[in-house]
Amino acid sequence: MKKLCVILGTAGLLAACGEEPVRTAADIGSGWEDLDGSIVNYEYPDFSGFYLHFRNGALQWKGFAGLFKGVVAEVDLVASKVNDRVYFMSWPTPNGGGDNVIMNFDTMKVHAHLGPGDGFQLFSGTIYCRDTPDCNAPEGEPMGMINTMRLLAGNARNSATPAPWMRMRPSWKREMDVSRNRIGREWLS
């Protein structure tokens, strides 16, 4: 009897570990269904360009230019329709931050706050296409974190555009950091 309980408990644990949680429409947002199946291409000047494919509440993307060139990823999307042709989307990033993007298909503009934690940076760009024959779908399998970081570092070295985490912080933030460091040193001594 004891062996049976151990076997059933182990089997239940393994079965639970193998299942991914099911995302519902409420988890994804409202109005995202209009994007489901869509392929969109856009670019932020002097930063990066992306091929996107929306499907089943997920977003697969591939960088085609700039810092993210060659990076392939898939993220769990949270999206909401703001009006008939404007969408707000967000997803968590591995570094504890999040990406927040607004796509406006009336103006064919894209605006984003991207970055880790409270270190967001604003980017604005142009949407080149949505569901037209000249749109490119992202190709390739999503990459792991180590391969992604290697590719980003290589792209940053080969580009005039530094990675967002390598950009100089504003002087007022640097001054705050110096003050915090001084206060911290005084407190520790």
Side-chain angles (χ1 to χ4, degrees), residues 19 27 39 63 79 98 104 120 146 150 179:
E19 293 179 22
D27 296 330
I39 295 173
N104 185 332
F120 284 109
I146 292 173
R150 283 182 184 151
S179 294

Side-chain angles (χ1 to χ4, degrees), residues 44-47 67-68 95 98-101 110-124 161-170 173:
Y44 303 111
D46 301 321
F47 178 61
L67 183 64
F68 285 88
N95 55 10
D99 291 347
N100 302 285
V101 177
V110 59
H111 303 281
H113 281 128
L114 310 174
D118 64 351
F120 284 109
Q121 294 186 33
L122 176 63
F123 294 92
S124 294
T161 305
W165 61 87
M166 296 176 178
R167 292 184 182 166
M168 187 66 82
R169 296 183 77 190
K173 283 193 173 183

Side-chain angles (χ1 to χ4, degrees), residues 60-123:
Q60 183 177 9
W61 60 265
K62 180 175 184 175
F64 69 81
L67 183 64
F68 285 88
K69 184 176 183 177
V71 174
V72 180
E74 187 166 313
V75 295
D76 288 333
L77 181 66
V78 177
S80 295
K81 186 177 190 176
V82 177
N83 71 30
D84 285 340
R85 297 178 44 82
V86 178
Y87 296 87
F88 174 80
M89 304 172 299
S90 63
W91 53 88
T93 57
N95 55 10
D99 291 347
N100 302 285
V101 177
I102 296 176
M103 291 192 312
N104 185 332
F105 293 107
D106 284 331
T107 62
M108 297 302 279
K109 296 292 181 190
V110 59
H111 303 281
H113 281 128
L114 310 174
D118 64 351
F120 284 109
Q121 294 186 33
L122 176 63
F123 294 92

